Amino acid sequence: MLRIANCSGFYGDRLSAAREMVEGGPVDVLTGDYLAELTMLLLWKARQRDPDAGYALSFLAQMRDVLGTCLERGIKVVVNAGGLNPAGLAHSLRELASAAGLAPRVAHLEGDDLMPRLAELRAAGEDLAHLGTGRPLAGAGVEPVTANAYLGAWGITTALRAGADVVICGRVTDASLVVGPAAWAYDWALDDWDRLAGAVAAGHVIECGAQATGGNFSFFTEIPDPVRPGFPIAELHEDGTSVITKHPGTGGAVTTETVTAQLLYEIEGPQYLGPDVVTRFDTVALTQEGPDRVRIAGATGEPAPERLKVCVNYRGGYRNSATFALEGLETRAKARFAEASLLDAVGGRERFADFDARLSPAGDRLTVTVKDADRDAVGRAFFAAVAGTGLSGYPGLHLEHASPRATEYGVHWPALVAASAVRPEVVLDDGTRLAVPEPPREPFRRDGRVYGSVTAHDDPLVRVPLGTLAGARSGDKGGDANLGVWARNEKTWRWLGWYLTVDRLRELLPETAGLDVERHWLPNLRAVNFVVRGLLGDGVAASTLADPQAKALGERLRAVQVEVPAGLLGAGAKVKDHALPTEGQSAGQDRA
């Protein structure tokens, strides 16, 4: 058994987690995930101020606490904290270790950064076309500032096989931090698809830290000590199965539901594409083996796809916003008044490249966001217009936020590149460079797997929030929102799978109307997963939404009042069989 512990789910996560994981019980590998699409842009900005920057500084602080203990106990450290400068972080870690009288073998992984090779790739026909629009980057009239391919696990495996104590990566997939050590420990082959898929499932569960142990969990009031949940551990076995757990005596909980919630996080269809394997999430089965122990088994894998995902960011311009508080009576009329007054003051919507006025769900706040290439237009000029309406506006006008300072924003451009065009290498302490082996690859094909029927209930209907019966977890992938919804028991699932269609989602969440929405069915998890294309615009850095990463989309859905069979709220429900709507019968997917 290989114990892989996570100590970070994002850049800014709990700093003490590394020490808690190393000192809290036995572990074999310490991993940390520090990168997101937005993080790459933030690290680029840091590197503009200091060319030696571009990596997660918090990782060095964590290593001050635990590096000596890790070396003493033989605990390997594998992280993606290298960001845009893994070589720089490796150098800084060696300096930190030397000052403490330590001499770890530090390796880092290169090859994900495609910026120096953009002209070469374009000449070879790799135009990094946008995944949503198909538009080639070369013809988009933008200059990227970051372009990083998502590497897989075999670079990590190669570094560990070469004797590294610490492996520092840049942009690898989050799950690779688990897959790489597992493949090293068990000497898996490049085409051990099912074992690799099992490790991907385990890696996906623990990659976001305490989200697997009760964090961001729909039923948080049921979690013991939710304030400081323990970070997760994946006990990997040679056959690719795993048990998700945490150190004894730590807060939070590991249950089939907390694990389900994280499995559903930011995925799309049942076939989960990674650089090393396509994992079938619809084959994954969860079993509660005991307190805080959930077994993941049954995962099957398919050959690695021929193309890798690429995270591109470019400078979008400048933005600013003002938030008007709306109190008392006629708040919606006040919002219209505020917007009209502001448009009159600035000279109309056409004054800016983008003018967005958005009322909060409660109707008590109006946020106006403007974006433009002209910093002064969205900075001082916009602020002056907002201030100028102060005594001539709606009754009770006051501002929650307004600033004369515009901020630069970036735009995320998701793309694909041929795996054969990416050349990852492991760099050892002495400068030796090791090529990373490539798995056999095949063109990805979405299968036509057919699922069975679910049931609708014949009981009298009662009106309750959907969240009474179902949990949800939501997030972002660039401009798309992902929303997974699971039923708490089998009886409810056989209603939820029938009830929660694409059309129903649009009815319950009006912001999804008019957008391309996919529904994917995951019966083993008693869940459906929705992908809402374009809900978040150009991604978190450019989005004008109050919730730009769709973190609360699932909770908004759970709060909606729906009519449910009364029997689902108690015992003795009567049911009758209904097939799923025809649109959902192939590939477990609805699309509209």
Side-chain angles (χ1 to χ4, degrees):
M1 178 178 66
L2 184 72
R3 298 180 183 88
I4 304 178
N6 172 283
C7 72
S8 177
F10 69 103
Y11 190 10
D13 210 345
R14 196 162 82 214
L15 201 61
S16 62
R19 185 177 64 251
E20 294 168 15
M21 300 310 288
V22 170
E23 296 178 355
V27 298
D28 303 305
V29 181
L30 182 69
T31 68
D33 174 21
Y34 299 82
L35 301 184
E37 291 149 356
L38 176 61
T39 313
M40 304 302 280
L41 186 64
L42 297 176
L43 292 176
W44 171 79
K45 290 183 176 180
R47 208 169 188 187
Q48 302 315 292
R49 299 187 294 269
D50 177 4
D52 292 329
Y55 52 77
L57 290 169
S58 57
F59 171 69
L60 292 175
Q62 290 176 309
M63 286 298 98
R64 287 191 186 96
D65 289 342
V66 304
L67 182 57
T69 305
C70 288
L71 292 174
E72 179 185 335
R73 297 182 186 173
I75 299 171
K76 303 291 186 180
V77 179
V78 181
V79 296
N80 63 10
L84 295 177
N85 189 9
L89 179 55
H91 176 74
S92 294
L93 180 62
R94 292 186 189 104
E95 287 187 332
L96 180 152
S98 179
L102 303 172
R105 292 165 293 184
V106 181
H108 72 272
L109 183 61
E110 296 183 353
D112 64 297
D113 186 0
L114 302 183
M115 282 296 293
R117 301 180 54 219
L118 286 182
E120 171 196 340
L121 291 170
R122 287 168 178 166
E126 291 292 339
D127 56 15
L128 299 184
H130 191 281
L131 277 176
T133 66
R135 190 180 184 189
L137 181 64
V142 299
E143 288 299 325
V145 295
T146 71
N148 296 80
Y150 284 72
L151 303 182
W154 292 107
I156 296 168
T157 304
T158 299
L160 293 172
R161 285 173 177 169
D165 300 308
V166 181
V167 184
I168 294 174
C169 305
R171 182 67 279 182
V172 296
T173 64
D174 303 341
S176 292
L177 302 173
V178 168
V179 180
W184 160 71
Y186 296 123
D187 198 26
W188 289 342
L190 293 168
D191 59 356
D192 275 332
W193 306 127
D194 291 350
R195 292 186 175 100
L196 292 167
V200 167
H204 185 66
V205 170
I206 74 169
E207 71 188 35
C208 286
Q211 280 195 171
T213 58
N216 288 337
F217 184 58
S218 291
F219 306 103
F220 67 97
T221 57
E222 301 175 9
I223 299 295
D225 191 11
V227 173
R228 195 180 180 86
F231 273 59
I233 298 169
E235 297 176 352
L236 264 293
H237 298 275
E238 187 173 7
D239 63 357
T241 62
S242 63
V243 171
I244 306 301
T245 186
K246 62 186 185 69
H247 283 319
T250 57
V254 180
T255 70
T256 54
E257 286 196 276
T258 67
V259 173
T260 293
Q262 183 54 29
L263 281 172
L264 294 174
Y265 183 59
E266 295 182 350
I267 65 170
E268 295 193 354
Q271 291 164 288
Y272 186 70
L273 277 70
D276 303 310
V277 63
V278 175
T279 302
R280 299 277 335 191
F281 270 44
D282 54 351
T283 63
V284 171
L286 305 179
T287 306
Q288 190 82 45
E289 286 202 333
D292 296 320
R293 294 185 62 80
V294 173
R295 175 170 292 280
I296 301 178
T300 60
E302 299 169 348
E306 290 184 323
R307 301 183 72 77
L308 305 180
K309 182 181 175 183
V310 183
C311 172
V312 178
N313 286 296
Y314 66 87
R315 301 166 83 165
Y318 299 90
R319 65 184 290 166
N320 198 1
S321 64
T323 299
F324 295 79
L326 310 169
E327 300 188 27
L329 304 176
E330 300 177 291
T331 55
R332 293 187 180 273
K334 290 174 178 176
R336 293 192 294 271
F337 188 176
E339 181 179 351
S341 298
L342 187 54
L343 284 171
D344 178 70
V346 300
R349 292 176 181 271
E350 61 275 9
R351 177 65 183 84
F352 307 102
D354 187 19
F355 180 98
D356 181 89
R358 198 172 296 270
L359 195 62
S360 67
D364 61 353
R365 296 293 184 272
L366 174 72
T367 298
V368 178
T369 302
V370 292
K371 296 192 288 189
D372 202 89
D374 185 341
R375 184 200 293 257
D376 287 338
V378 298
R380 291 189 296 253
F382 175 69
F383 178 76
V386 171
T389 67
L391 299 183
S392 58
Y394 61 85
L397 189 157
H398 64 282
L399 298 168
E400 268 196 355
H401 165 78
S403 171
R405 182 181 178 187
T407 57
E408 189 176 23
Y409 71 92
V411 177
H412 174 61
W413 181 283
L416 295 175
V417 68
S420 59
V422 179
R423 299 189 287 266
E425 287 185 316
V426 173
V427 184
L428 304 181
D429 290 272
D430 62 1
T432 299
R433 291 179 172 269
L434 304 175
V436 175
E438 267 285 291
R441 299 182 180 278
E442 294 182 3
F444 171 70
R445 296 181 178 86
R446 193 181 299 278
D447 79 1
R449 186 169 301 193
V450 176
Y451 297 95
S453 64
V454 291
T455 57
H457 290 241
D458 231 4
D459 289 349
L461 299 177
V462 295
R463 197 165 182 81
V464 298
L466 179 62
T468 306
L469 298 174
R473 173 69 61 78
S474 57
D476 68 311
K477 283 293 183 187
D480 300 335
N482 290 263
L483 169 58
V485 186
W486 78 90
R488 306 204 74 183
N489 55 58
E490 186 65 25
K491 184 169 68 174
T492 302
W493 159 240
R494 298 190 70 76
W495 167 79
L496 182 72
W498 165 81
Y499 175 82
L500 199 53
T501 62
V502 167
D503 287 342
R504 188 83 67 181
L505 182 77
R506 287 181 168 144
E507 174 189 330
L508 302 179
L509 292 176
E511 62 263 47
T512 65
L515 297 175
D516 184 12
V517 179
E518 299 173 8
R519 185 183 81 149
H520 302 280
W521 206 24
L522 298 163
N524 277 12
L525 300 176
R526 297 197 295 251
V528 289
N529 190 61
F530 294 93
V531 183
V532 186
R533 303 291 184 188
L535 180 66
L536 307 178
D538 291 321
V540 55
S543 178
T544 57
L545 295 173
D547 179 21
Q549 291 180 286
K551 298 294 187 183
L553 185 67
E555 289 304 296
R556 291 200 293 277
L557 176 65
R558 294 183 68 243
V560 177
Q561 295 275 333
V562 299
E563 292 186 332
V564 307
L568 294 181
L569 303 177
K574 302 173 184 176
V575 300
K576 63 180 181 180
D577 287 339
H578 284 267
L580 275 178
T582 303
E583 60 180 357
Q585 280 296 315
S586 66
Q589 174 184 328
D590 302 344
R591 186 184 183 108

